Amino acid sequence: MPDTLATVVSHSLEIKHSRFIAHAAPIDTPAAALAFLQQVAVPEATHNCWAYRHGSEYRSSDDGEPAGTAGRPILAAIDGQGFDRVMVVVIRWYGGIKLGAGGLVRAYGGTAAECLRIAPRQPLVALAALQVQAGFDDLGALHAALAAHGAEKLDETFTANGVDLTLRLPADQADALKTRLRDATRDRIRIETCPEPGPLND
């Protein structure tokens, strides 16, 4: 799995009197990427260029720079460093010297890449979701197993016969948890796999 960012980071560079500042943030959704843009964009700056990747979804903007000289190099920096669920905004204040297309690609891509290079990384973990039905007699074994396999309770409903749980846990722990619960409860517990919840920041 790729990494995301552990926190929001910024990095600035000056290139031929133009000032470039990159702001990078972890995102949970594409909408969060655009919300971050609203948060950090500087209306009086010359350009607010950006790109994000969220799994198979990605977008980028040159914000008035020549096509392909800003947004795509920022996206290439995200992909080149093995990041996912990341938004990068690179803000430019024009300093009076034109950089040319190649210079812009290097400036935007380089500022984004350096910002991400110095950023603290956080692994994304593939997750599984399980639906569990257990009787009251098996609650002790159930809760011990959840703690041992890093499972998080998303939903818990008590019924006349026991409890219905929705769990989220690292995908590589799901089979081991199922086996442990079946063994501990003599197969009394019912377990179903829910649709994939996707990766999560570790």
Side-chain angles (χ1 to χ4, degrees), residues 25 27 29-34 37 50-61 71 74-75 78-79 83-89:
I27 55 166
T29 62
L34 301 180
L37 172 65
W50 54 270
Y52 72 76
R53 174 167 293 285
H54 185 276
S56 60
E57 292 184 59
Y58 60 89
R59 274 181 64 192
S60 64
S61 167
I74 296 169
L75 183 62
I78 295 170
D79 291 342
F83 279 105
D84 189 7
R85 300 195 171 205
V86 166
M87 169 67 157
V88 180
V89 181

Side-chain angles (χ1 to χ4, degrees), residues 7-201:
T7 185
V8 175
V9 285
S10 301
H11 181 70
S12 60
L13 278 178
E14 191 168 305
I15 301 164
K16 293 186 178 175
H17 303 298
S18 277
R19 195 153 61 97
F20 293 84
I21 295 183
H23 300 288
I27 55 166
D28 290 330
T29 62
L34 301 180
F36 180 70
L37 172 65
Q38 296 298 321
Q39 195 183 318
V40 299
V42 179
E44 58 272 20
T46 320
H47 303 281
N48 290 275
C49 304
W50 54 270
Y52 72 76
R53 174 167 293 285
H54 185 276
S56 60
E57 292 184 59
Y58 60 89
R59 274 181 64 192
S60 64
S61 167
D62 297 313
D63 191 37
E65 293 282 28
T69 61
R72 266 186 279 170
I74 296 169
L75 183 62
I78 295 170
D79 291 342
Q81 304 229 14
F83 279 105
D84 189 7
R85 300 195 171 205
V86 166
M87 169 67 157
V88 180
V89 181
V90 180
I91 304 165
R92 180 192 184 191
W93 287 265
Y94 180 56
I97 298 173
K98 292 196 169 176
L99 300 182
L104 288 171
V105 168
R106 285 191 296 278
Y108 281 102
T111 306
E114 185 61 16
C115 181
L116 293 171
R117 193 185 67 74
I118 61 173
R121 302 173 82 97
Q122 189 155 354
L124 283 165
V125 176
L127 292 175
L130 300 176
Q131 204 74 42
V132 178
Q133 291 179 314
F136 289 113
D137 292 348
D138 296 320
L139 289 184
L142 174 61
H143 286 105
L146 299 191
H149 294 279
E152 174 192 1
K153 280 192 274 190
L154 299 181
D155 192 42
E156 182 173 37
T157 308
F158 286 95
T159 66
N161 302 318
V163 69
D164 290 351
L165 287 179
T166 305
L167 307 174
R168 182 169 64 185
L169 74 163
D172 60 3
Q173 292 288 314
D175 287 341
L177 175 65
K178 288 178 191 177
T179 302
R180 175 170 174 162
L181 286 175
R182 285 184 181 129
D183 290 351
T185 65
R186 296 193 181 86
D187 216 9
R188 285 189 301 266
I189 222 158
R190 287 192 50 211
I191 306 169
E192 290 174 18
T193 304
C194 302
E196 285 299 311
L200 178 81
N201 306 356

